[in-house]
Amino acid sequence: DTEVTQTPKHLVMGMTNKKSLKCEQHMGHRAMYWYKQKAKKPPELMFVYSYEKLSINESVPSRFSPECPNSSLLNLHLHALQPEDSALYLCASSTTGGSRDNQPQHFGDGTRLSIL
Amino acid sequence: QQQVKQSPQSLIVQKGGISIINCAYENTAFDYFPWYQQFPGKGPALLIAIRPDVSEKKEGRFTISFNKSAKQFSLHIMDSQPGDSATYFCAAHTVRAQKLVFGQGTRLTINP
């Protein structure tokens, strides 16, 4: 079991639907991340939150909208997605927040998203 | 300059053998190098990590060798077991950029 919990594990949605992915961690980490991973490829960074503030947006389309309600929770709101958005969406967290002491990113098991 | 190049793409090793995966980077600002193991249907799990001021780090059957001057690092899995069959990603990180740059991954298969 990972210490980063993601729900739901699987999600099938139509292109006109609105849904949200949720991520929770209780390790006291102040940096949280969203990644997208296509089959047989490495994870691609989408967003970084540091101390609940968006610090990095890797030019992600606006149909993906992140939200960090508190230090333990991270959401990804989805709207009007395209079939090419079908992928595994991974959440990660770390203690890194500008400190020189690098700490590893801990990943959840992801949400497998399929867009019909 | 942000790339991490990983090889081979796939690797088949007999049980009990040594699995070796190599990575190379260009950006000298990278200051932390983790390896992740990913099983199908799971997220990447941290396996072992190293800083560039250390030439080797060993944890159980897993060893990272780091060559700072060549800007290369590698993962060695000793006494490889079928349970080690997974995809392995090397990565590089800078605190300043808050980003992990991943290699393209190696699909490792350990034959019984």
Side-chain angles (χ1 to χ4, degrees), chain B residues 5-38:
Chain B
K5 295 182 180 178
Q6 183 172 346
S7 63
Q9 271 190 314
S10 62
L11 179 62
I12 300 174
V13 174
Q14 292 299 118
K15 179 183 175 181
I18 303 173
S19 304
I20 302 174
I21 304 170
N22 301 299
C23 287
Y25 65 98
E26 288 295 325
N27 187 352
T28 55
F30 289 140
D31 56 8
Y32 181 66
F33 300 87
W35 284 86
Y36 286 87
Q37 178 189 57
Q38 187 173 24

Side-chain angles (χ1 to χ4, degrees), chain B residues 2-103:
Chain B
Q2 285 294 316
Q3 283 186 328
V4 175
K5 295 182 180 178
Q6 183 172 346
S7 63
Q9 271 190 314
S10 62
L11 179 62
I12 300 174
V13 174
Q14 292 299 118
K15 179 183 175 181
I18 303 173
S19 304
I20 302 174
I21 304 170
N22 301 299
C23 287
Y25 65 98
E26 288 295 325
N27 187 352
T28 55
F30 289 140
D31 56 8
Y32 181 66
F33 300 87
W35 284 86
Y36 286 87
Q37 178 189 57
Q38 187 173 24
F39 293 105
K42 297 290 188 181
L46 179 71
L47 196 59
I48 187 172
I50 197 167
R51 293 178 178 274
D53 54 348
V54 175
S55 61
E56 185 174 283
K57 184 174 181 181
K58 184 176 181 179
E59 289 184 3
R61 296 185 293 109
F62 300 92
T63 300
I64 300 179
S65 298
F66 191 88
N67 186 329
K68 188 174 181 178
S69 60
K71 291 185 279 188
Q72 295 175 347
F73 58 110
S74 60
L75 175 70
H76 290 63
I77 305 174
M78 312 299 287
D79 187 27
S80 299
Q81 299 296 312
D84 297 329
S85 297
T87 299
Y88 292 80
F89 293 100
C90 64
H93 180 268
T94 57
V95 171
R96 184 177 170 185
Q98 281 189 291
K99 290 186 183 182
L100 263 180
V101 179
F102 284 91

Side-chain angles (χ1 to χ4, degrees), chain A residues 37 55 58 99 102 105 108-109, chain B residues 36 38 43-44 93 95 98-99:
Chain A
Q37 186 178 28
S55 59
E58 291 288 275
S99 165
N102 286 299
Q105 292 184 21
D109 283 336
Chain B
Y36 286 87
Q38 187 173 24
H93 180 268
V95 171
Q98 281 189 291
K99 290 186 183 182

